[in-house]
Amino acid sequence: VNHRLKQHNFFDDEMDDLKKLRPGRAFYYLFWLIYQILKSGFQVAFVVLRPGLPTKTQLMTFSVDLPSAHAKMILGNSITLTPGTLTIDIRGDMFTVHALTSASFDGIVSDEMPRQVLKLFSNEDRPVVRDIRFLNASGEPK
């Protein structure tokens, strides 16, 4: 079933951007992501094992300036793989992310994770995240 899907292009730049993937950087990114997963896993375990610790789940929206749909997909999946965060929606350049604690957003707000994804496809080092908004439980901006 998946083989038949590979024969169709769903985005204009779908195959071109994979040619721009930097293999050495992808190898580095894999180990960097594993470290982020472990670090976040310990943070989530600390929250779970300390029931008296106040948790305040939050939603956040932000826009990104990434070169392709694959880069956005990699960012969305990386956010979801990191314990304590979940990518809820990606529409164009706009991401909606849920987090267990506000500290879970640190890698996004600091632009660290999105810049690492940008480096998979480009030598550029520039800001990627913009228009960050934190939402309350009803989805309204705070």
Side-chain angles (χ1 to χ4, degrees):
V1 173
N2 193 27
H3 176 70
R4 286 186 279 168
L5 284 175
K6 288 182 189 179
Q7 296 174 1
H8 300 285
N9 291 339
F10 296 99
F11 300 98
D12 293 336
D13 63 351
E14 188 169 337
M15 298 312 286
D16 295 335
D17 65 328
L18 285 179
K19 295 174 187 170
K20 296 177 185 175
L21 184 67
R22 300 168 57 204
R25 193 65 194 186
F27 183 74
Y28 170 82
Y29 183 78
L30 176 67
F31 286 100
W32 178 85
L33 184 60
I34 290 169
Y35 170 73
Q36 296 302 314
I37 291 169
L38 292 173
K39 184 172 85 170
S40 296
F42 284 116
Q43 290 173 344
V44 169
F46 184 73
V47 169
V48 170
L49 295 175
R50 305 270 322 241
L53 198 65
T55 58
K56 185 177 178 185
T57 61
Q58 289 186 331
L59 285 174
M60 176 175 100
T61 63
F62 60 93
S63 295
V64 294
D65 182 17
L66 288 171
S68 66
H70 274 108
K72 293 172 196 170
M73 180 208 51
I74 290 170
L75 177 60
N77 286 336
S78 297
I79 290 169
T80 299
L81 281 171
T82 307
T85 55
L86 175 67
T87 303
I88 296 173
D89 192 22
I90 303 172
R91 291 185 191 245
D93 292 337
M94 181 69 70
F95 282 64
T96 303
V97 176
H98 178 271
L100 182 63
T101 66
S102 59
S104 301
F105 289 132
D106 288 347
I108 299 168
V109 173
S110 70
D111 210 12
E112 182 182 9
M113 184 177 281
R115 282 183 187 220
Q116 292 292 335
V117 172
L118 176 65
K119 290 177 185 177
L120 287 172
F121 295 93
S122 170
N123 286 326
E124 293 180 88
D125 187 22
R126 59 176 170 76
V128 176
V129 174
R130 62 184 188 278
D131 302 328
I132 297 172
R133 284 190 281 153
F134 293 94
L135 308 173
N136 61 22
S138 64
E140 300 294 321
K142 286 187 174 183

